[in-house]
Each structure stands twice: as structure tokens, then as C-alpha cells.
């Protein structure tokens, strides 16, 4: 009964994290309004007109820090929860190396390294923290996939299979923030121009 309850709680935690990560797929930007004054001078009259224009969208670092910080620390909690659950199902030194060690290293990296960076509010630190969190997601995805593909596993493979999904969600979320918030600029691919049929008809 206790295992069933823990599985339900862990499933709820995973679902919450996935929903939290999915929220990062919407761009986080803030528009700032600026005021421009146009002055027209006539011989006896000066007319002043005030207009409002919108600046180009710029990243809102405070909101980015809030969202990515929740995702970063949430991912660390889920990684440790899965590791302790799997290790508890079959305690052994070999199993601890496969579960506790990678998850502990990843969690420490997320909490002590990338966490303070993504919540710092500094653009350079946020960018570096997102890169680190993305790398951790890729590494843990590989660990979970290797455990799923292993011919024998002391603990059920259903939880590491969910771990693969969580790692994928983390990768897409962190990398999406890098691109959407302007920390990474993707190269543009020049496309060849296609012939216009109307040009041939005009000839």
C-alpha cells in the first residue's frame, strides 16, 4: 500500500514538473512604452504633439528568473526522488552507482550551480545557467535511457521511463528559453529563389 501511495505522489510530482516546464514554451517578454515629442514651429504658434510608440520586445529577466528557477529546482527534486525510490526497491552498491550517484551529481549541479545563475537576474549568468541546466537534462536523459535499455534492472523500469520524458521536457524547456529570450541566435539559412511563372508569361 505504501508503494502505491509513493508511486501516486511521485507521478503527481512528475506531472507537475512537466506542466511547469511546458509553461516555458511561451515567450517571456515585456513591452516598454516610450514617448516621443514632435514639435512643429510656425511664425506665431508652436504646436506640440505627444505620441506613444512601443519599444522592441526585450526579455523580462525577473520573470525569466522566476520561471526557470522553478523548473531548475523542480527538476532537481524529481531526479532525487526517482533515485531514492529506485534504490529503495533494491538496495545495493551497484544499484546505488546507477541511481543515486548520477542523480545526486545532477541535483547538486542544478541547485548549487545553475540555480543561483538562472535566478540572478543578470543576462550573462542566466544564459550560462540555462546552458548548464540543458546539459544536465541531456546527461540525465542518457542515464535514464541506459537504465531502460539494460537487460536487467533490480527496480521497475517504469519510473526511469518517466525520467526520460522529464529529461526531454527539461531539455526542450531550457533550450527554448535560450532561443526565445535571445540568449542564443540561430543561424538563418538562405533559401534559393524560385522562378516566377508570371515572368515567363510576360516574355
Amino acid at each position: 500500500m505504501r508503494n502505491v501511495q509513493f508511486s501516486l505522489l511521485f507521478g503527481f510530482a512528475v506531472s507537475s514538473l512537466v506542466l511547469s516546464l511546458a509553461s516555458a514554451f511561451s515567450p517571456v517578454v515585456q513591452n516598454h512604452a516610450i514617448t516621443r515629442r514632435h514639435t512643429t514651429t510656425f511664425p506665431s504658434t508652436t504646436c506640440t504633439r505627444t505620441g506613444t510608440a512601443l519599444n522592441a520586445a526585450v526579455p523580462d529577466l525577473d520573470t525569466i528568473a522566476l520561471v526557470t528557477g522553478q523548473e531548475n529546482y523542480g527538476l532537481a527534486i524529481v531526479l532525487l526522488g526517482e533515485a531514492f525510490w529506485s534504490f529503495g526497491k533494491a538496495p545495493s552498491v551497484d544499484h546505488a552507482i546507477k541511481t543515486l550517484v548520477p542523480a545526486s551529481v545532477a541535483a547538486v549541479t542544478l541547485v548549487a550551480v545553475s540555480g543561483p545563475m538562472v535566478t540572478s537576474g543578470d543576462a550573462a549568468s542566466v544564459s550560462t545557467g540555462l546552458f548548464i541546466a540543458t546539459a544536465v537534462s541531456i546527461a540525465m536523459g542518457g542515464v535514464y535511457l541506459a537504465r531502460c535499455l539494460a537487460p536487467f534492472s533490480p527496480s521497475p523500469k517504469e519510473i526511469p521511463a518517466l525520467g526520460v520524458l522529464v529529461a526531454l521536457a527539461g531539455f526542450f524547456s531550457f533550450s527554448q528559453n535560450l532561443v526565445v529570450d535571445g540568449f542564443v541566435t540561430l543561424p538563418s539559412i538562405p533559401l534559393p529563389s524560385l522562378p516566377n511563372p508570371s515572368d515567363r508569361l510576360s516574355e
Side-chain angles (χ1 to χ4, degrees), residues 23-79:
S23 66
F25 280 79
S26 58
V28 184
V29 294
Q30 180 181 13
N31 291 329
H32 297 276
I34 60 172
T35 301
R36 293 185 303 179
R37 299 180 62 87
H38 304 277
T39 302
T40 306
T41 304
F42 294 96
S44 60
T45 307
T46 301
C47 300
T48 303
R49 184 180 60 189
T50 302
T52 301
L54 291 179
N55 245 343
V58 297
D60 182 358
L61 293 178
D62 292 335
T63 306
I64 294 172
L66 177 62
V67 174
T68 57
Q70 291 176 346
E71 297 166 358
N72 189 85
Y73 294 120
L75 180 59
I77 293 172
V78 172
L79 295 180

